[in-house]
């Protein structure tokens, strides 16, 4: 049903908007972008920063446009001396307590606070600092670093963590000048139920929450002639990194990204998509086995490390529902340090695996104790003792960190030529590309499960019902005579709804895909800032365009994956796969272990 419309006047223009629209939204609809620091589209309007004020005729006070509702006949002014000086005053009050360390700050040149100061013409604050002490940084998380001194208490991180992710790891604690973003008992993010999803770092307007950087370590390893430092890139990087290098939102830059990585000096440039195809082989066969042998259903995907930590904390009794498959990042690391090391004649102790991921939680995942299957594979042959134990993946960098590396060495990204991935771990299919979008793992798995089970070719391989940005999507797919009911959720608040059905034993599904971040990996917490719903849609379009460009679009048809099974793994779910490609999970509960 069409919503009721109302009319108001904004800067002399008559505007018609839906009843209930905020003044801020109404202004945007006529092309007036009101500045804000705390408002978060589609999530919350906190009204705390006081930057978005406007004048309303016959109202003595200025009104905060993000919380004020547009009313019929309202006359709004967005540009006056009174408004400009009020915005400046509020910004100066914020800056009075802000450490102006722009030169050493991760967000320098991409900071909303810095941009706003420039936009409003604020060069210094007339006010004295009122906060007496500097607060120590929170280094407890393996994925994120918090600097409370740069926090402007806008509440965006708290809202995204609670409303979008249903995690509630952080909240504003204390009063007045003592207020700060804090965790349970103020113990630090690394000792909380935080899933490391990084959505807070995407929405933070300042450098108060940023990824924990490993750029220096990676540069050092690349230039160490004793080491073979190889790199893998997740599907979502090719539709994100261009943005961070000044190109349009969603720019598809696969070949230039490969060229840039080669210019950085990596020994080989490989593709996580190779391992995404491998994941489908293992996960698809696991699903088939569970269906045929009466295993735990619904089976839930396990590629998203933020999701894994969420279920470990909040639904520890339901871990049997998770696929035992490691994520593509981890499968890649295990195969690189075993199969590839053997084939290339390299000492696995000298291989460094660097991942470029759209995700901050991948840093935590790479450091999990159980992610070191390659060491066990080699232990006897190398006569290595426990002190030499190495991880399958050494460093996981975000898209933003990769952009910093490119900028640091002066790579002119837009003028790079297109180059191809190295082989054998650089070959992939269209099914692997779509891992980057919500619904993609499901679609890729269906393309393979259908053909393996029915031994027939699919007439159409595009499963449109599981595409798009709906929070929960469902479909019933006929696999021969068998109807397979599936669901896809992105963002943890949506995953929670599906988990409640499982808890209540009312889940109608056989297979569920969950991605922790809105839009899936393309909206991951390590992607370029800004990331919002419009940008996520553009990145998704590029992902599906890339899929359609591939000659091979089903994981089980990837010739390099076939060769990997023939030469090394033997068959999906075999003994070697079990040791290298599958894992187990930890019952964490809400009180840890964290
Ligand atoms: S958060 Fe922004 S304004 Fe503050 S130090 Fe960093 S770049 Fe500068
Ligand atoms: S990383 Fe995710 S779960 Fe952790 S505090 Fe930020 S939004 Fe919440
Ligand atoms: S940490 Fe960032 S997002 Fe959270 S309240 Fe502070 S400034 Fe806002």
């Amino acid at each position: 049903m069409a919503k009721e419309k109302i009319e108001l006047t904004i800067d002399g223009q008559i505007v018609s908007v839906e009843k209930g629209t905020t003044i801020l939204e109404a202004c945007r609809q006529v092309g007036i972008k009101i500045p804000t620091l705390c408002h978060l589209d589609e999530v919350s309007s906190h009204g705390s920063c006081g930057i978005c004020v406007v004048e309303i005729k016959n109202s003595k006070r200025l009104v905060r446009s993000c919380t004020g509702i547009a009313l019929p006949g309202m006359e709004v002014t967005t540009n006056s001396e009174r408004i400009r000086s009020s915005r400046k005053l509020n910004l100066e009050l914020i800056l009075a307590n802000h450490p102006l360390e722009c030169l050493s700050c991760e967000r320098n040149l991409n900071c909303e606070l810095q941009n706003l100061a420039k936009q409003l013409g604020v060069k210094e604050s007339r006010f004295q600092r009122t906060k007496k002490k500097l607060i120590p940084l929170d280094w407890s998380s393996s994925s994120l670093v918090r600097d409370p001194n740069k926090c402007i208490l806008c509440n965006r991180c708290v809202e995204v963590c609670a409303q979008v992710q249903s995690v509630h790891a952080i909240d504003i604690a204390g009063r007045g000048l003592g207020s700060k973003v804090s965790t349970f008992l103020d113990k630090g993010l690394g000792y909380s139920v935080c899933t490391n999803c990084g959505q807070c770092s995407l929405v933070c307007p300042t450098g108060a929450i940023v990824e924990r950087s490993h750029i220096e370590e990676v540069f050092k390893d690349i230039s160490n002639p004793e080491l073979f430092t190889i790199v893998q890139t997740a599907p979502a990087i090719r539709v994100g990194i261009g943005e961070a290098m000044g190109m349009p939102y969603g720019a598809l830059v696969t070949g230039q990204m490969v060229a840039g990585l080669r210019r950085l000096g990596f020994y080989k440039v490989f593709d996580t998509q190779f391992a995404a195809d491998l994941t489908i082989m293992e996960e698809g066969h696991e699903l088939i086995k569970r269906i045929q042998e009466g295993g735990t259903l619904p089976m839930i995907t396990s590629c998203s490390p933020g999701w894994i930590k969420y279920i470990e904390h909040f639904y520890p009794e339901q871990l049997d529902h998770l696929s035992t498959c490691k994520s593509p990042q981890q499968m890649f690391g295990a195969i690189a340090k075993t199969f590839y090391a053997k084939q290339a004649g390299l000492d696995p102790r000298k291989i460094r695996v660097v991942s470029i991921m759209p995700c901050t939680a991948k840093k935590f995942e790479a450091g999990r104790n159980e992610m070191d299957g390659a060491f066990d594979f080699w232990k006897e042959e190398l006569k290595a003792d426990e002190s030499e134990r190495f991880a399958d993946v050494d460093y996981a960098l975000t898209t933003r960190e990769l952009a910093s590396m490119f900028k640091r060495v002066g790579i002119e990204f837009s003028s790079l030529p297109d180059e191809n991935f190295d082989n054998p771990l650089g070959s992939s299919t269209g099914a692997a590309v779509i891992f980057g979008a919500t619904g993609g793992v499901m679609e890729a798995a269906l393309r393979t499960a259908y053909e393996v089970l029915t031994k027939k070719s699919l007439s159409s391989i595009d499963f449109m019902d599981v595409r798009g940005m709906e929070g929960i999507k469902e479909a019933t797919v006929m696999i021969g005579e068998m109807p397979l009911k599936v669901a896809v959720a992105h963002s943890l608040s949506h995953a929670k709804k599906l988990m409640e059905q499982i808890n209540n034993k009312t889940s109608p599904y056989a297979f569920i895909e969950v991605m922790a971040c809105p839009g899936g990996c393309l909206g991951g917490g390590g992607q370029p800032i800004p990331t919002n719903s419009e940008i996520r849609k553009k990145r998704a379009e590029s992902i599906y365009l890339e899929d359609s460009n591939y000659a091979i679009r089903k994981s089980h048809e990837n010739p390099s994956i076939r060769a990997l099974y023939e030469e090394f793994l033997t068959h999906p779910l075999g003994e070697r796969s079990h040791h290298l490609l599958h894992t187990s999970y930890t019952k964490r509960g809400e009180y840890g272990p964290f």
Side-chain angles (χ1 to χ4, degrees), residues 144 157 160-161 165 167 169-170 189 193-200:
L144 297 155
C157 56
V160 88
C161 189
Q165 299 299 58
V167 175
I170 45 179
L189 267 192
V193 291
C194 169
T195 64
N196 304 300
C197 73
Q199 287 299 311
C200 48

Side-chain angles (χ1 to χ4, degrees), residues 230-233 272 329-330 332 353-357 362 366 393-398:
I230 64 176
V231 66
Q232 56 164 325
T233 64
T272 312
Q329 161 174 273
Q330 294 306 137
F332 179 94
V353 174
V354 176
S355 313
I356 312 295
M357 294 284 139
K362 289 283 171 192
V393 172
D394 297 280
Y395 300 109
L397 306 185
T398 62

Side-chain angles (χ1 to χ4, degrees), residues 141 143-144 146 156-162 164-170 181 183 189 192-203 209 306 309-310 314 360-361 492 517:
S141 161
S143 294
L144 297 155
R146 292 192 312 127
R156 284 186 189 176
C157 56
V158 174
E159 294 288 344
V160 88
C161 189
V164 178
Q165 299 299 58
S166 278
V167 175
H168 302 269
I170 45 179
V181 174
T183 52
L189 267 192
S192 77
V193 291
C194 169
T195 64
N196 304 300
C197 73
Q199 287 299 311
C200 48
S201 71
L202 267 190
V203 299
I209 308 182
K309 192 152 181 276
Y310 179 84
F314 295 103
T360 48
L492 295 169
C517 291

Side-chain angles (χ1 to χ4, degrees), residues 95 98-102 105-109 111 113-114 150 205-208:
L95 290 174
H98 192 81
L100 294 171
E101 299 165 351
C102 301
C105 182
E106 282 299 326
R107 292 292 297 274
N108 191 25
L109 303 179
C111 167
L113 184 63
Q114 200 183 45
K150 289 181 187 158
T206 73

Side-chain angles (χ1 to χ4, degrees), residues 12-311:
Q13 297 183 71
I14 296 177
V15 187
S16 172
V17 295
E18 280 179 2
K19 196 175 172 189
T21 303
T22 62
I23 299 169
L24 183 94
E25 264 307 315
C27 290
R28 283 186 185 172
Q29 287 180 27
V30 286
I32 299 167
K33 195 167 178 278
I34 305 277
T36 73
L37 278 175
C38 65
H39 169 78
L40 193 52
D41 281 344
E42 296 159 20
V43 180
S44 69
S45 290
H46 196 240
S48 63
C49 72
I51 300 291
C52 68
V53 287
V54 293
E55 281 182 47
I56 309 286
K57 192 173 177 188
N58 299 329
S59 166
K60 282 190 189 151
R61 292 184 172 188
L62 293 175
V63 170
R64 292 174 191 221
S65 64
C66 70
T67 49
I69 299 295
L71 297 173
M74 197 178 236
E75 289 183 38
V76 180
T77 301
T78 69
N79 177 15
S80 70
E81 190 48 42
R82 187 177 168 213
I83 293 170
R84 280 192 297 276
S85 43
S86 171
R87 287 180 184 164
K88 267 179 126 169
L89 177 83
N90 285 332
L91 187 58
E92 284 180 73
L93 286 167
I94 292 170
L95 290 174
N97 277 315
H98 192 81
L100 294 171
E101 299 165 351
C102 301
L103 283 184
S104 60
C105 182
E106 282 299 326
R107 292 292 297 274
N108 191 25
L109 303 179
N110 186 15
C111 167
E112 288 183 48
L113 184 63
Q114 200 183 45
N115 289 344
L116 193 62
K118 191 163 182 226
Q119 186 186 336
L120 299 187
V122 175
K123 298 202 170 104
E124 57 191 0
S125 175
R126 286 167 285 170
F127 303 101
Q128 279 210 328
R129 184 178 171 85
T130 43
K131 285 188 182 169
K132 298 290 175 238
K133 281 192 296 184
L134 283 179
I135 309 171
L137 272 60
D138 176 4
W139 286 95
S140 62
S141 161
S142 47
S143 294
L144 297 155
V145 182
R146 292 192 312 127
D147 182 351
N149 305 293
K150 289 181 187 158
C151 174
I152 60 168
L153 295 174
C154 71
N155 219 39
R156 284 186 189 176
C157 56
V158 174
E159 294 288 344
V160 88
C161 189
Q163 292 193 42
V164 178
Q165 299 299 58
S166 278
V167 175
H168 302 269
I170 45 179
D171 206 345
I172 306 267
R175 281 170 185 270
L177 287 175
S179 301
K180 63 172 186 173
V181 174
S182 187
T183 52
F184 182 58
L185 299 177
D186 204 13
K187 283 190 165 178
L189 267 192
Y191 303 101
S192 77
V193 291
C194 169
T195 64
N196 304 300
C197 73
Q199 287 299 311
C200 48
S201 71
L202 267 190
V203 299
C204 181
T206 73
I209 308 182
V210 296
E211 66 268 52
R212 192 171 181 143
S213 175
H214 295 100
I215 291 178
E216 296 303 337
E217 293 89 331
V218 172
F219 268 130
K220 218 179 249 177
D221 282 355
I222 289 175
S223 42
N224 183 340
E226 300 282 305
L227 298 177
F228 303 95
T229 303
I230 64 176
V231 66
Q232 56 164 325
T233 64
I237 312 303
R238 61 211 74 198
V239 297
I241 186 66
E243 290 173 23
M245 300 308 289
M247 295 166 90
Y249 295 130
L252 181 60
V253 292
T254 315
Q256 287 172 304
M257 173 189 73
V258 172
L261 288 164
R262 215 163 261 137
R263 304 295 181 277
L264 284 177
F266 284 105
Y267 177 68
K268 295 283 176 195
V269 180
F270 290 137
D271 198 351
T272 312
Q273 288 184 188
F274 170 86
D277 279 332
L278 181 58
T279 303
I280 287 302
M281 292 302 288
E282 293 292 324
E283 200 167 76
H285 282 85
E286 186 184 358
L287 176 66
I288 291 165
K289 188 165 188 256
R290 287 195 193 198
I291 291 171
Q292 290 177 336
E293 297 179 9
T296 304
L297 293 175
M299 187 177 93
I300 315 179
T301 57
S302 53
C303 299
S304 166
W307 153 241
I308 296 300
K309 192 152 181 276
Y310 179 84
I311 187 173

